[in-house]
Amino acid sequence: MKIVIQNGRIIDPSQNLDRTANLYIARGHIVGIDTPPEGFEPNQTIDAQGKWILPGLVDMQARLGEPGHNQTGHIASETKAAVAGGITSLCCPPDTDPVTDTQAVAELIQRRARQAATAFVMPIGALTQGLKGERLSEMYALKQGGCVALSQANQPIQNPLILKNALEYAASHNLLVLLRSENQQLKNHGVAHSGAVSTRLGLPSIPASAETTALARDLILVEEAGVRAHFSQISCARSVEMIQQAKQRGLPVTCDVAIHQLFLTEMDLLDFSSLLHVSPPLRSQADRDALRMGVKTGVIDAIVSDHTPLGRDEKQLPFGESQPGISGLETLLALTLKLVDEKVLSLSQAIQLLTEHPANILGLNCGSLQTGSSADLVIVDPEDYWTLTSDSMLSEGKNSPFIGWEFNGQVEMTLFQGRPVYLANAV
């Protein structure tokens, strides 16, 4: 199959490329930009005049509901939702059921993803068996099984000696470790940020120090171990400062933020909507502004969806009893482009945070439109305004607080390995 995409504005930060040109695809790979290979005769021509051609997005944190029991969504449904949002590569954390702490589970996830054939799914292995924080997993076997990194998902290791051993073992095998810093004693079963709003609503609170004290410990252990570490879902202004200082000292660390943390704050909890129950919690306006400055200045390296599809029963409960999480695959790009509209990011920065940077952190050959790379790309109509509705969402989890929001920049088509896998609002 040979495809030519004509007259689109090709934006690829990995090549410092932003110009109108033709893009040529053959046998699932990009074979030329501007100039076709010799003898190229397309089977299909796509007119992209007035549209953007972007690398397929790379999402470092998306739960797919599988494997699991009584979960909402599965790999086939959630990867369809991913490509509807322009995401062609995504990492799933190890808090599956069973936990991704064996090679067999990692291979099962990849096999189901290959059967769905919609997007590239990369499992993240568990640092400890069963995510219990007690005994280390077989890390090397997980790497051999296709895991691109190791983490504890939202269940950070509390015992510093076990974490130290885990980081040193990961460093000895040159494994990337994703760390979510949170002190469970300071969290104390809280559900909302510690501040005026949680006090007014009578919700058990989580202080910023639950994140920052754990982050301080983790940074010291990362420095001692010399491991490549990526801090997931930072949420506090002080965390941004600490990561910045660590980078200035030369530590091999990176970090990301969940896209909803760049728009929502504790003030949004005032109507008690459980759709806003997330972990880490929505913080103060000052924290949100610091996170925005973090992505603008490059301290924060990537933006993730933190996609967690949940059913109606899991969200239609009192705030504190509901499950935390937002269905985020279909709004990751749209919300990031809203940051461009609000002059927080340039368009190139926004695309870089969703493509080149996460690919580089993971050490993967994706998130780029370079000649020879897999033809994973998205065509966006920047003039198309649309409104998110529950009916239009392809994810089986409709738990989005952004339903009813208007966005500009509609994904018109997504190609994965040179095949169209999403067209407008129908797969």
Side-chain angles (χ1 to χ4, degrees):
M1 184 72 172
K2 296 180 180 179
I3 300 173
V4 56
I5 304 175
Q6 292 183 327
N7 300 316
R9 179 182 170 187
I10 302 175
I11 306 171
D12 181 7
S14 75
Q15 303 180 75
N16 197 24
L17 180 63
D18 186 350
R19 67 170 182 268
T20 299
N22 295 342
L23 186 145
Y24 301 91
I25 297 170
R27 295 179 295 281
H29 291 79
I30 295 168
V31 293
I33 292 176
D34 285 326
T35 307
E38 187 175 349
F40 186 91
E41 294 291 338
N43 307 104
Q44 183 180 358
T45 299
I46 298 172
D47 181 10
Q49 189 164 15
K51 314 290 172 56
W52 297 342
I53 303 173
L54 314 176
L57 275 53
V58 182
D59 187 0
M60 296 183 68
Q61 175 90 347
R63 292 175 177 82
L64 305 178
E66 189 179 4
H69 301 292
N70 302 318
Q71 298 289 316
T72 300
H74 45 86
I75 288 173
S77 68
E78 301 315 290
T79 51
K80 283 183 180 179
V83 295
I87 300 164
T88 55
S89 300
L90 59 163
C91 297
C92 55
D95 50 355
T96 49
D97 185 10
V99 169
T100 309
D101 60 0
T102 65
Q103 193 168 343
V105 178
E107 290 174 348
L108 170 66
I109 292 169
Q110 294 168 90
R111 187 163 58 251
R112 296 278 173 82
R114 284 194 296 272
Q115 290 168 348
T118 309
F120 182 36
V121 176
M122 300 164 283
I124 296 174
L127 269 172
T128 61
Q129 296 177 25
L131 294 174
K132 294 179 179 176
E134 296 170 354
R135 302 179 63 184
L136 302 189
S137 62
E138 296 290 339
M139 298 185 196
Y140 185 71
L142 289 169
K143 181 181 181 181
Q144 295 298 102
C147 291
V148 294
L150 300 169
S151 89
Q152 280 289 111
N154 285 345
Q155 301 172 50
I157 296 174
Q158 299 302 301
N159 185 319
L161 178 59
I162 293 173
L163 178 60
K164 180 176 182 294
N165 291 338
L167 296 180
E168 289 177 346
Y169 190 79
S172 70
H173 291 290
N174 193 28
L175 288 163
L176 174 68
V177 173
L178 274 56
L179 296 173
R180 164 87 192 282
S181 297
E182 189 174 68
N183 183 302
Q184 295 298 305
Q185 284 71 41
L186 285 171
K187 182 179 180 181
N188 194 27
H189 307 292
V191 295
H193 174 64
S194 180
V197 173
S198 62
T199 300
R200 177 176 174 180
L201 300 181
L203 294 171
S205 62
I206 307 172
S209 58
E211 178 171 301
T212 54
T213 57
L215 178 58
R217 179 201 68 170
D218 295 349
L219 283 169
I220 291 170
L221 294 178
V222 163
E223 185 170 15
E224 278 190 4
V227 68
R228 288 188 301 128
H230 177 84
F231 289 90
S232 302
Q233 305 164 72
I234 64 169
S235 66
C236 305
R238 183 74 182 99
S239 298
V240 178
E241 294 176 13
M242 294 166 73
I243 295 287
Q244 183 178 29
Q245 291 163 1
K247 287 184 172 184
Q248 289 171 345
R249 295 208 321 275
L251 266 63
V253 297
T254 51
C255 68
D256 67 54
V257 61
I259 184 65
H260 51 259
Q261 295 280 2
L262 299 173
F263 285 90
L264 305 172
T265 72
E266 60 177 340
M267 298 302 292
D268 293 294
L269 304 186
L270 286 171
D271 66 356
F272 270 113
S273 171
S274 60
L275 290 175
L276 297 157
H277 183 191
V278 292
S279 178
L282 300 175
R283 300 287 186 183
S284 68
Q285 181 77 34
D287 288 312
R288 193 208 70 163
D289 292 346
L291 293 170
R292 284 188 166 204
M293 186 57 68
V295 294
K296 182 181 180 69
T297 58
V299 176
I300 297 175
D301 304 89
I303 301 175
V304 302
S305 72
D306 192 24
H307 176 71
T308 307
L310 296 170
R312 186 183 297 266
D313 291 345
E314 294 159 302
K315 279 297 188 183
Q316 282 194 336
L317 292 168
F319 189 93
E321 299 173 26
S322 63
Q323 293 294 314
I326 285 175
S327 179
L329 288 171
E330 290 160 89
T331 48
L332 175 61
L333 176 61
L335 285 167
T336 305
L337 293 179
K338 196 174 271 292
L339 292 173
V340 178
D341 292 341
E342 296 180 10
K343 312 297 183 188
V344 176
L345 298 173
S346 69
L347 180 58
S348 178
Q349 279 180 310
I351 303 307
Q352 199 168 36
L353 286 158
L354 299 174
T355 58
E356 181 191 8
H357 281 183
N360 287 345
I361 292 166
L362 295 164
L364 297 174
N365 183 26
C366 56
S368 168
L369 297 176
Q370 293 192 42
T371 300
S373 62
S374 178
D376 304 338
L377 57 90
V378 56
I379 301 174
V380 175
D381 183 348
E383 302 300 327
D384 192 354
Y385 286 79
W386 59 284
T387 301
L388 182 71
T389 66
S390 178
D391 291 342
S392 66
M393 293 179 69
L394 297 182
S395 170
E396 291 197 1
K398 314 297 182 187
N399 50 307
S400 171
F402 301 108
I403 288 174
W405 282 41
E406 186 178 68
F407 301 100
N408 70 316
Q410 173 76 278
V411 173
E412 190 166 278
M413 178 183 286
T414 303
L415 282 79
F416 174 59
Q417 297 179 342
R419 296 176 293 107
V421 289
Y422 175 77
L423 177 61
N425 292 312
V427 175

